[in-house]
């Protein structure tokens, strides 16, 4: 992804909440008309189609990360019936709020609260990436000596951690620092392609394993309301691409096509979410862990799945890190002389990566951190703020009372989930400070 300013006017506002075009001049309209009748119409349409596919892939990749693999545990926390239904409802609500953000995009220039939440949310995602990479690397390394070609399901838990998971986080740190220092678009596009290939390949193998029988029966349809609060945070966190909506739209040659990409891509994403969450919980039942990769059998095939997905997450780190970096780095660099610009740029990027690593080291509980980040910042960015922005942006345009009521109800719902989900996640952290059940290597014999 190239360097894209986030909170600025994203081209021209192609449409607003009332569906009106906001083209500003007749001359521009005539220009579009003449261009549409030019001999280059065919190649231009092919270029637009290619851009449509590219943005579609970016949208999928930005929403399929570590939170995606935590959905089986999320469904366990909600119940076999309530989980999928709630995922569908939260997904539809989140996509609606994404659309609101698009409608308000050209009014976001001075929204410092949105900038702050983008920074917190995306750096939270990056911290979770550290935990995910450390968890999977730990399991791969410590199970290597008895991994074979014969795949057998994990049956009983035996804790045999050799090295603390924090050691693996610190091992990964230098490589991620080097990754974010690379700013060449061509090199980054290669990494992006590699991440897409490895992620899709590993997902194919994960779903292939999940559809195999047997599955657990008599699983509860409705879980305890306290664990449902953890579900809410995880579900909101899973929509990791909310911070990428505006940058992706700004990269399209025809931004008016982006709503179609958004609805098509997010419909597919929500379908994958429900399938993975439901099948994963049905497959592993009460043994479902914070990441479904930690439940996979001990054999070289599924160890390679963890490795491939970890490679994809490693390179996706740069994609998620790009968002806060493009807000913070230019702000800091603009306050130093040109001679120090490069040094300050690299220093700030390094410091931000170290900050995400430090956060992961402090609280190495993957499931609880996912829920906490989702409840605190993701819910604010994805559900609470967009409806309020819609009211503030279009109130002077005689916005309907029904729309105002709808937006207030959505914000209140998001606020309740934020407060209660945050409380529950913090409570669980205080209760399990001395336990590493979700973070230690599980050896099953």
């Amino acid at each position: 992804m190239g360097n894209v300013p986030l909170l600025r006017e994203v081209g021209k506002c192609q449409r607003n909440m009332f569906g009106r075009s906001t083209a500003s001049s007749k001359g521009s309209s005539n220009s579009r008309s003449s261009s549409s009748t030019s001999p280059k119409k065919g190649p231009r349409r092919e270029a637009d189609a290619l851009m449509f596919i590219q943005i579609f892939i970016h949208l999928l990749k930005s929403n399929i990360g570590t939170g995606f693999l935590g959905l089986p545990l999320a469904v366990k926390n909600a119940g076999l019936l309530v989980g999928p239904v709630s995922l569908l409802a939260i997904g539809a609500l989140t996509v609606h709020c994404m659309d609101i953000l698009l409608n308000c995009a050209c009014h976001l220039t001075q929204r410092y609260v949105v900038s702050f939440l983008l920074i917190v949310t995306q750096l939270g995602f990056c911290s979770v990436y550290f935990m995910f990479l450390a968890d999977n690397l730990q399991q791969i390394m410590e199970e290597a000596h008895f991994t074979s070609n014969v795949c057998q399901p994990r049956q009983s838990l035996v804790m045999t951690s050799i090295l603390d998971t924090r050691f693996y986080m610190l091992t990964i740190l230098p490589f991620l620092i080097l990754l974010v220092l690379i700013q060449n678009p061509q090199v980054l596009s290669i990494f992006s392609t590699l991440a897409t290939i490895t992620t899709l390949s590993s997902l194919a193998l994960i779903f292939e394993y999940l559809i195999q029988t047997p599955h657990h029966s008599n699983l509860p349809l409705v879980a305890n309301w306290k664990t449902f609060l953890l579900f809410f945070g995880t579900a909101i966190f899973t929509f990791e691409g909310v911070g990428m909506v505006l940058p992706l739209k700004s990269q399209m040659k025809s931004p008016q096509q982006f709503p179609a990409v958004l609805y098509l891509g997010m419909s597919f994403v929500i379908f994958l979410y429900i399938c993975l969450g439901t099948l994963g919980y049905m497959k592993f039942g009460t043994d479902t862990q914070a990441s479904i990769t930690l439940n996979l059998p001990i054999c070289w095939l599924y160890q390679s799945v963890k490795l491939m997905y970890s490679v994809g997450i490693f390179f996706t780190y740069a994609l998620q890190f790009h968002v806060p970096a493009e807000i913070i780095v230019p702000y800091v660099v603009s306050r130093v002389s040109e001679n120090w610009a490069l040094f300050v740029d690299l220093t700030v990027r390094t410091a931000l990566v170290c900050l995400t690593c430090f956060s992961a080291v402090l609280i190495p509980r993957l499931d609880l951190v996912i829920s906490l980040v989702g409840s605190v910042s993701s819910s604010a960015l994805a559900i609470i703020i967009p409806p309020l922005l819609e009211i503030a942006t279009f109130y002077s345009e005689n916005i309907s009372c029904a729309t105002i009521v709808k937006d207030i109800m959505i914000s209140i719902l998001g606020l309740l989930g934020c407060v209660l989900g945050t409380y529950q996640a913090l409570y669980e952290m205080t209760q399990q400070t001395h336990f590493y059940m979700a973070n230690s290597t599980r050896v099953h014999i």
Side-chain angles (χ1 to χ4, degrees):
M1 303 254 326
N3 294 335
V4 183
L6 293 177
L7 299 182
R8 61 169 172 79
E9 182 175 342
V10 187
K12 296 292 183 183
C13 291
Q14 299 297 327
R15 63 190 183 93
N16 60 23
M17 62 177 292
F18 304 105
R20 295 195 300 263
S21 171
T22 56
S24 58
S25 68
K26 183 176 181 180
S28 63
S29 176
N30 291 336
S31 175
R32 286 194 299 271
S33 176
S34 62
S35 66
S36 64
T37 57
S38 67
K40 295 183 179 180
K41 180 178 180 180
R44 182 175 180 180
R45 283 186 174 179
E46 291 179 1
D48 288 344
L50 179 60
M51 178 59 70
F52 187 99
I53 295 173
Q54 290 173 336
I55 297 298
F56 179 84
I57 293 175
H58 276 301
L59 188 64
L60 292 183
K61 185 170 57 178
S62 62
N63 281 281
I64 298 179
T66 54
F68 178 68
L69 297 181
L71 284 174
L73 182 62
V75 172
K76 173 187 174 183
N77 288 332
L80 191 58
L81 174 63
V82 175
V85 173
S86 299
L87 268 178
L88 179 61
I90 292 176
L93 193 61
T94 303
V95 174
H96 175 66
C97 290
M98 287 180 179
D99 189 55
I100 292 176
L101 276 178
L102 295 179
N103 293 332
C104 301
C106 55
H107 301 271
L108 290 178
T109 306
Q110 302 299 326
R111 303 289 178 176
Y112 297 109
V113 174
V114 177
S115 296
F116 174 76
L117 288 173
L118 275 172
I119 293 171
V120 173
T121 302
Q122 298 302 118
L123 291 181
F125 291 158
C126 292
S127 294
V128 171
Y129 285 6
F130 260 105
M131 298 179 197
F132 176 86
L133 291 171
D135 280 354
N136 285 272
L137 180 60
Q138 182 187 41
Q139 199 177 67
I140 291 172
M141 296 296 294
E142 297 188 0
E143 294 178 351
H145 65 285
F146 55 84
T147 302
S148 66
N149 294 326
V150 180
C151 294
Q152 296 184 357
R154 300 167 182 264
Q155 296 176 348
S156 60
L157 288 174
V158 179
M159 306 302 296
T160 59
S161 289
I162 299 174
L163 294 173
D164 192 285
T165 186
R166 295 174 176 87
F167 169 82
Y168 293 94
M169 293 180 190
L170 296 177
T171 302
I172 298 166
L173 176 60
F175 298 98
L176 285 175
I177 291 176
L178 293 176
L179 177 66
V180 301
L181 295 183
I182 299 174
Q183 301 181 47
N184 187 311
Q186 293 181 342
V187 176
L188 291 177
S189 66
I190 295 175
F191 290 160
S192 177
T193 302
L194 181 60
T196 301
I197 294 173
T198 55
T199 300
L200 292 179
S201 300
S202 58
L203 282 180
L205 289 173
I206 289 174
F207 273 104
E208 182 272 336
Y209 179 71
L210 292 182
I211 61 177
Q212 298 176 16
T213 55
H215 289 87
H216 288 266
S217 58
N218 299 324
L219 295 174
L221 300 180
V222 181
N224 186 283
W225 69 271
K226 292 184 179 180
T227 58
F228 180 82
L229 296 178
L230 297 177
F231 162 84
F232 175 82
T234 304
I236 294 295
F237 178 95
T238 305
F239 292 91
E240 300 177 35
V242 62
M244 299 301 299
V245 171
L246 298 182
L248 288 177
K249 181 182 178 181
S250 70
Q251 289 193 344
M252 290 198 74
K253 294 180 180 178
S254 302
Q256 69 274 12
Q257 294 183 355
F258 187 75
V261 184
L262 178 67
Y263 282 104
L264 179 63
M266 294 308 299
S267 296
F268 183 64
V269 166
I270 294 171
F271 173 75
L272 285 180
Y273 285 0
I274 294 175
C275 288
L276 183 75
T278 305
L279 291 175
Y281 180 41
M282 292 176 64
K283 184 72 174 181
F284 302 116
T286 56
D287 293 329
T288 303
Q289 298 186 33
S291 171
I292 197 173
T293 56
L294 302 177
N295 279 112
L296 295 177
I298 303 176
C299 65
W300 289 118
L301 175 63
Y302 293 107
Q303 296 290 56
S304 69
V305 169
K306 299 173 194 173
L307 183 60
M308 286 190 295
Y309 206 96
S310 296
V311 169
I313 290 298
F314 177 83
F315 290 118
T316 305
Y317 182 99
L319 179 65
Q320 299 289 6
F321 183 85
H322 173 84
V323 178
E326 286 307 305
I327 299 175
I328 297 174
V329 172
Y331 177 82
V332 177
V333 170
S334 65
R335 280 154 176 75
V336 299
S337 64
E338 186 175 350
N339 294 333
W340 287 91
L342 179 60
F343 175 78
V344 171
D345 184 308
L346 300 181
T347 301
V348 172
R349 292 176 183 273
T350 301
L352 289 176
V353 178
C354 292
L355 176 63
T356 61
C357 179
F358 180 70
S359 301
V361 168
L362 283 180
I363 316 173
R365 273 290 307 266
L366 181 60
D367 55 337
L368 293 183
V369 172
I370 287 177
S371 182
L372 181 62
V373 174
S375 297
V376 175
S377 54
S378 296
S379 61
L381 186 63
I383 297 181
I384 299 174
I385 287 183
L388 299 180
L389 280 178
E390 184 173 44
I391 296 175
T393 301
F394 299 109
Y395 186 78
S396 61
E397 299 184 21
N398 297 321
I399 186 173
S400 68
C401 293
T403 301
I404 294 177
V405 172
K406 179 263 297 182
D407 288 340
I408 292 176
M409 290 181 64
I410 292 176
S411 293
I412 291 175
L413 177 64
L415 183 61
L416 286 174
C418 172
V419 173
L420 297 177
T422 300
Y423 167 79
Q424 188 62 28
L426 292 175
Y427 175 78
E428 293 289 336
M429 287 181 181
T430 59
Q431 293 298 308
Q432 303 184 38
T433 303
H434 303 292
F435 296 93
Y436 296 127
M437 291 297 295
N439 217 54
S440 300
T441 299
R442 278 84 169 160
V443 179
H444 298 69
I445 58 175

